[in-house]
């Protein structure tokens, strides 16, 4: 079904692995359409509780836009962003399930944006991120101008965006750009541990908090309290909430079903 990604679903865990190794998984139109389609598949599968996004191999997560294909296609930047990049990025942010970025190598340009769109980023220590746009006379896109100031502040964002320098995983962890940097041999252990947690976690509650948190950066206190009130009532009536409260009172481990 997919030509540019490897997609799997096993025991409640879905995995999208970018698979264009000859160009370090550069984002072609076809690749982005497939990523968006796979995310939609995850959204519509009630058995999937968590999504992992990564790149095949050990060199690259994603090298950004496939500039050669972009130039050959003759499409405008505006058309490319609206048609391919924006649906992919919004698909991740609007997915009511946790999305883990397994940062297995370089994440450059829009590849950096793709990583930042995920809920949690676990990276190899030798991986790096770079907003390389400026080095070809462009500005960050694919949501980077939204995510970065909220993660690391305006001053750091401007520095990284205007220089395009490499930010290796250890520094990225220190400044709050990613969640954790680990030794290469520990990457899969960390990813599997995190995915295993989300595999049996209360997915409806996690998806709901993700939806509400998406609103926090451009809302005031009253609006956030309203969102908390409305959504908490929905969760309070859910099966997982009933199970969680019962398990707490009975001093046992809850058996969450994600609904």
């Amino acid at each position: 079904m997919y030509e540019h990604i490897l997609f799997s679903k096993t025991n409640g865990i879905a995995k999208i692995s970018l698979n264009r190794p000859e160009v370090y998984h550069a984002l072609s139109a076809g690749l982005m359409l497939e990523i968006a389609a796979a995310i939609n598949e995850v959204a519509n599968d009630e058995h999937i509780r968590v999504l992992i996004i990564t790149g095949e191999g050990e060199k690259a997560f994603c090298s950004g836009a496939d500039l050669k294909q972009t130039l050959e296609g003759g499409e405008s930047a505006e058309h490319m962003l609206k048609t391919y990049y924006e649906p992919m990025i919004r698909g991740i942010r609007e997915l009511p399930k946790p999305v883990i970025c397994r940062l297995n190598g370089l994440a450059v340009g829009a590849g950096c944006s793709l990583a930042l769109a995920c809920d949690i980023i676990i990276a190899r220590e030798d991986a790096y991120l770079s907003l390389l746009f400026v080095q070809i006379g462009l500005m960050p896109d694919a949501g980077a101008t939204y995510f970065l100031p909220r993660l690391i502040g305006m001053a750091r964002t401007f520095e990284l965006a205007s220089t395009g320098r490499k930010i290796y995983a250890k520094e990225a962890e220190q400044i709050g750009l990613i969640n954790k940097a680990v030794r290469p041999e520990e990457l899969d252990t960390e990813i599997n541990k995190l995915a295993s947690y989300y595999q049996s976690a209360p997915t409806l509650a996690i998806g709901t908090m993700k939806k509400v948190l998406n609103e926090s950066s451009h809302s005031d206190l009253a609006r956030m309290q309203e969102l908390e009130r409305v959504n908490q009532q929905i969760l309070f009536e859910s099966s997982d909430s009933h199970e969680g409260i019962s398990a707490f009172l009975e001093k046992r481990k809850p058996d969450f079903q994600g609904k």
Side-chain angles (χ1 to χ4, degrees):
M1 179 178 176
Y2 296 107
E3 180 182 355
H4 305 296
I5 65 171
L6 301 180
F7 181 59
S8 63
K9 296 188 288 185
T10 307
N11 297 325
I13 301 172
K15 184 178 180 181
I16 295 172
S17 191
L18 282 60
N19 192 30
R20 301 186 71 219
E22 69 282 1
V23 288
Y24 297 106
H25 315 306
L27 293 167
S28 64
L31 174 56
M32 289 184 281
L33 288 173
E34 289 189 3
I35 293 171
I39 291 170
N40 188 58
E41 190 172 336
V42 170
N44 291 318
D45 188 337
E46 64 179 14
H47 301 293
I48 298 302
R49 311 281 285 277
V50 56
L51 170 63
I52 299 167
I53 300 180
T54 190
E56 280 297 289
E58 299 181 352
K59 292 184 178 180
F61 171 73
C62 178
S63 61
D66 188 330
L67 295 174
K68 182 178 179 182
Q69 187 185 88
T70 299
L71 293 174
E72 289 175 350
E75 296 179 295
S76 68
E78 183 177 11
H79 173 80
M80 291 289 293
L81 288 168
K82 187 173 183 179
T83 307
Y84 305 114
Y85 290 88
E86 292 173 13
M88 175 182 68
I89 297 299
R90 284 204 305 270
I92 294 172
R93 292 312 315 150
E94 294 172 4
L95 183 69
K97 302 172 185 184
V99 180
I100 303 169
C101 173
R102 176 184 175 273
L103 198 68
N104 57 303
L106 62 87
V108 175
C112 179
S113 303
L114 177 61
L116 296 177
C118 298
D119 298 303
I120 292 182
I121 305 173
I122 309 295
R124 293 168 51 119
E125 286 180 343
D126 55 353
Y128 68 83
L129 304 98
S130 171
L131 296 167
L132 201 63
F133 302 90
V134 70
Q135 296 185 17
I136 56 172
L138 297 176
M139 62 171 278
D141 60 24
T145 59
Y146 177 85
F147 301 123
L148 279 166
R150 289 160 174 79
L151 288 169
I152 60 175
M154 192 62 73
R156 271 208 179 100
T157 293
F158 183 79
E159 183 241 322
L160 298 182
S162 62
T163 65
R165 71 173 180 87
K166 296 177 181 178
I167 312 104
Y168 280 91
K170 275 293 188 181
E171 180 188 359
E173 179 185 19
Q174 291 168 358
I175 66 175
L177 195 60
I178 69 171
N179 296 84
K180 194 171 187 180
V182 299
R183 292 196 297 267
E185 64 271 20
E186 296 175 347
L187 180 61
D188 285 329
T189 299
E190 287 292 328
I191 293 294
N192 292 338
K193 182 166 60 175
L194 191 57
S196 179
Y197 163 73
Y198 285 122
Q199 185 182 27
S200 57
T203 312
L204 179 62
I206 291 170
T208 302
M209 69 177 71
K210 177 176 175 177
K211 178 183 69 174
V212 173
L213 286 170
N214 279 342
E215 299 292 320
S216 66
S217 62
H218 50 272
S219 298
D220 57 23
L221 175 60
R223 173 58 177 161
M224 294 309 298
Q225 288 178 315
E226 179 186 9
L227 289 171
E228 290 171 351
R229 182 173 67 250
V230 170
N231 287 282
Q232 193 74 299
Q233 182 60 38
I234 294 170
L235 292 175
F236 188 71
E237 296 171 2
S238 71
S239 298
D240 272 355
S241 176
H242 293 163
E243 167 62 13
I245 293 170
S246 296
F248 177 81
L249 295 175
E250 295 166 13
K251 295 181 172 57
R252 60 175 175 83
K253 184 178 179 179
D255 179 20
F256 293 123
Q257 298 300 308
K259 53 189 177 181

